[in-house]
Amino acid sequence: SGADKGNMRLFDEASQSLKIIAQQGFKERFLQYFEKVDYHFAASHGAVMALKEQVIVDDVLTSQIFIGKPAQKVLVDAGVRAIVSTPLRSSKGNLLGVISAHYGRPCHPSEFQLRLLTILARQVADYLERKHSEEIHQTVLRELQHRSNNLLTVVQSIARNSLDALAGPKKAFEARLQALARANHTLLRANWGGVDLHQVVRTELETFTPRASVKGVSLVLSPQHAQNFTLALHELATNSAKYGALSNSTGVVEVSWTIEPSRPASILRFTWKERGGPPVNPPVRNGFGTHLLKAVSSDVRLHYAVDGFRCDIAVPLGATQQSPEALANG
C-alpha cells in the first residue's frame, strides 16, 4: 500500500472501544495516546466506528477530524500526515476491528493501494471470525465434556446406591461407566475428530500389555465407532480376565484388524483371539456383555473353540453408525 507505518486494532465489546494489538513504526508516546479509541475520540479509527466505512485522511493538518484536537500534534510528532483506516467486518457486518495505514506525507492513496487495503481487511476479518468460531467451538466442547462427566458421576452414584446389595452387578455397571468415561476423555483430547484404533486397543489392554499382541493398519475411528469399540474391548478384556486366557498366568490375547475394500463402503474386520487359557465352555445364556458386543455391529461372530475364545467383528466404515441408545439397549 506504500504506507510508512501501520497498526491494527480489535473491537472490545465490554468497553465499546478499539485497542491496538499490532503495530509497526510507532513510538511509545503515540501508542499510549491512541491505546484505546472509541466513537467520540478524535481519530480516524473513531470516525470508522461512527461512519461504519473506510475513512481516508489526505492531510491531518487540514482534516476536520483533527483540526483543533490534541491528536493532531501527536500524529505530526509521530511523522504521520495521511491515514487510511479500513474496518474489519464479520460476515454478518459486525465490527471486529480496524486496520490503518499511515503515510509520512500528505497524499491520497491510489485506487490500487485502496483495493489492496480492502483485500487485506477482508482476509484479516475472515481470519478473526474463524478464530472466534474455533474458540466458541472449544468452549462448547469443554462444557459438553464437563456436563458429560457430571452426568456419568450422577449415574454412577445412583447405581451405587441402588445396587448396594448386588456387589457383582454394581461392580460391572461401574466398570462399564468408567470405560465410557475413558472414551469421552480420549475423544475430547482428539477434539472429537476421531481416535486411532491402536490407541483405543492399547488403552483398554493397558493392564495386560505383556500378554496381549496388537497388530493392524492405521485407522482413525469416528467418535461413535471409537466409543463403541471402547465398550466392546472392555467387555472382551473383562470376560477374558474372568473366564478366558487372561484368567491364568499363561494365556495370551491376539488383537488384529484389516480393512477390506468394498462397495459402497470399506469394511473393518476386527479379530480378538485367545489362546493358552482354560478350556472354553460355551455360555448357557447370553449376558449383557454379549448383547453389547453385538450392538457394535450387525456382523459379530463369537467362536467358543475349546482351545480359545474368538470374536470377529465386521464394521462398514462410513456407513450409518449405531446410536448410543441402540448400543445401551443391546
Side-chain angles (χ1 to χ4, degrees):
S1 66
D4 302 297
K5 303 175 183 180
N7 63 61
M8 186 169 74
R9 298 169 180 271
L10 290 187
F11 180 67
D12 179 63
E13 188 72 34
S15 63
Q16 291 291 297
S17 64
L18 292 163
K19 296 182 178 179
I20 293 179
I21 62 157
Q23 66 87 22
Q24 182 171 315
F26 292 106
K27 294 184 179 179
E28 194 62 30
R29 181 166 181 263
F30 176 95
L31 297 175
Q32 287 181 350
Y33 185 83
F34 290 103
E35 179 183 9
K36 187 186 294 185
V37 172
D38 59 21
Y39 291 94
H40 311 293
F41 199 91
S44 57
H45 308 85
V48 169
M49 295 179 70
L51 300 173
K52 300 180 173 27
E53 61 184 25
Q54 187 180 65
V55 171
I56 302 173
V57 177
D58 294 342
D59 190 344
V60 299
L61 293 180
T62 59
S63 170
Q64 292 300 314
I65 297 175
F66 298 107
I67 290 177
K69 304 295 193 317
Q72 187 181 64
K73 185 176 187 311
V74 176
L75 286 168
V76 173
D77 290 345
V80 174
R81 290 294 299 273
I83 308 169
V84 179
S85 291
T86 306
L88 308 174
R89 295 201 170 278
S90 71
S91 57
K92 295 182 179 180
N94 298 322
L95 182 67
L96 302 176
V98 174
I99 189 166
S100 295
H102 298 74
Y103 301 84
R105 66 193 184 287
C107 67
H108 187 93
S110 67
E111 288 300 317
F112 176 72
Q113 291 171 327
L114 293 175
R115 188 159 59 249
L116 283 178
L117 287 170
T118 300
I119 293 172
L120 174 62
R122 287 176 184 168
Q123 291 177 330
V124 173
D126 288 345
Y127 172 80
L128 291 174
E129 192 168 28
R130 185 169 65 253
K131 293 297 290 184
H132 182 61
S133 297
E134 290 173 356
E135 289 172 2
I136 293 176
H137 180 64
Q138 289 296 326
T139 300
V140 171
L141 282 179
R142 287 193 292 269
E143 179 63 21
L144 285 174
Q145 179 65 21
H146 178 69
R147 290 174 182 268
S148 176
N149 288 339
N150 285 347
L151 181 60
L152 288 170
T153 301
V154 170
V155 174
Q156 196 166 17
S157 176
I158 293 173
R160 187 178 297 112
N161 293 324
S162 302
L163 302 172
D164 270 341
L166 304 170
K170 172 187 173 183
K171 186 176 181 180
F173 184 77
E174 289 185 342
R176 286 167 179 145
L177 279 181
Q178 290 167 3
L180 186 58
R182 285 195 300 274
N184 283 349
H185 283 303
T186 301
L187 288 168
L188 180 65
R189 287 195 298 270
N191 199 25
W192 290 86
V195 180
D196 192 282
L197 181 53
H198 275 280
Q199 182 180 349
V200 174
V201 175
R202 285 195 299 267
T203 299
E204 292 307 309
L205 293 179
E206 186 175 8
T207 305
F208 310 102
T209 298
R211 300 168 60 188
S213 66
V214 180
K215 184 179 181 181
V217 298
S218 179
L219 173 65
V220 176
L221 297 174
S222 68
Q224 189 59 58
H225 278 321
Q227 190 176 77
N228 289 355
F229 265 96
T230 296
L231 293 173
L233 283 161
H234 168 76
E235 294 300 322
L236 290 168
T238 300
N239 184 74
S240 183
K242 287 182 178 179
Y243 314 109
L246 299 178
S247 66
N248 61 19
S249 59
T250 58
V252 295
V253 173
E254 298 172 353
V255 179
S256 62
W257 62 89
T258 59
I259 297 178
E260 178 183 298
S262 183
R263 292 181 180 274
S266 297
I267 297 175
L268 165 64
R269 295 200 177 278
F270 182 93
T271 298
W272 170 287
K273 185 177 181 180
E274 302 181 18
R275 57 182 177 83
V280 176
N281 295 312
V284 177
R285 63 180 182 83
N286 291 333
F288 177 77
T290 301
H291 288 298
L292 190 149
L293 284 173
K294 291 185 176 181
V296 171
S297 170
S298 59
D299 189 356
V300 175
R301 301 178 185 181
L302 307 178
H303 309 277
Y304 297 95
V306 177
D307 59 340
F309 169 76
R310 172 173 172 157
C311 174
D312 294 315
I313 303 175
V315 178
L317 299 176
T320 302
Q321 301 163 10
Q322 288 201 334
S323 67
E325 292 79 7
L327 184 63
N329 294 332

